[in-house]
Amino acid sequence: MEDNKKPQNQVQLNLKPEIASGQYSNLALITHSHSDFILDFARQLPGLPQPEVCSRVIMAPEHAKRLAAALQENIYKYEQKFGRIELADMPQRTIAPFGSGRGEA
């Protein structure tokens, strides 16, 4: 058996240089319809009158649920390695339920 075989679920991504630097976001607004979840990532900075949306991601409900599970798994791994992430202004809860229909993360 060869050692250099790729795992079956591994995906090769093409990451363009203009995308690789990413976007800073300290605010996320989540809305949904019957068929889509919409994630608006924004940044709220001092001196700006209102948050500015820097990226919008639209996905099917099934993909949104997979994303939630992947985030929860990665937060768990992060906290195992670096310690608990403390949220001073929010009650401790799991990633679900999000509360009202217009979630804010």
Side-chain angles (χ1 to χ4, degrees):
M1 187 155 143
E2 294 179 32
D3 289 337
N4 59 358
K5 282 189 176 181
K6 286 190 281 185
Q8 289 183 356
N9 293 335
Q10 187 174 4
V11 176
Q12 294 285 333
L13 294 177
N14 180 22
L15 185 59
K16 297 177 183 177
E18 62 270 18
I19 301 294
S21 62
Q23 292 285 331
Y24 175 75
S25 173
N26 58 4
L27 177 66
L29 300 171
I30 303 167
T31 56
H32 65 275
S33 68
H34 173 72
S35 58
D36 297 304
F37 273 74
I38 301 167
L39 293 76
D40 285 323
F41 296 94
R43 56 183 157 249
Q44 187 168 19
L45 301 173
L48 293 179
Q50 62 187 26
E52 175 184 297
V53 174
C54 55
S55 183
R56 173 175 274 192
V57 177
I58 303 168
M59 59 179 59
E62 296 84 359
H63 296 307
K65 191 163 188 174
R66 287 185 187 104
L67 174 63
L71 280 171
Q72 197 164 27
E73 178 182 343
N74 278 272
I75 289 169
Y76 173 80
K77 289 177 181 178
Y78 176 96
E79 289 183 332
Q80 292 300 304
K81 186 172 184 176
F82 301 108
R84 186 174 180 87
I85 301 168
E86 297 295 333
L87 301 175
D89 59 343
M90 290 182 65
Q92 294 296 318
R93 65 179 187 184
T94 60
I95 200 164
F98 290 108
S100 66
R102 182 176 169 241
E104 203 169 303

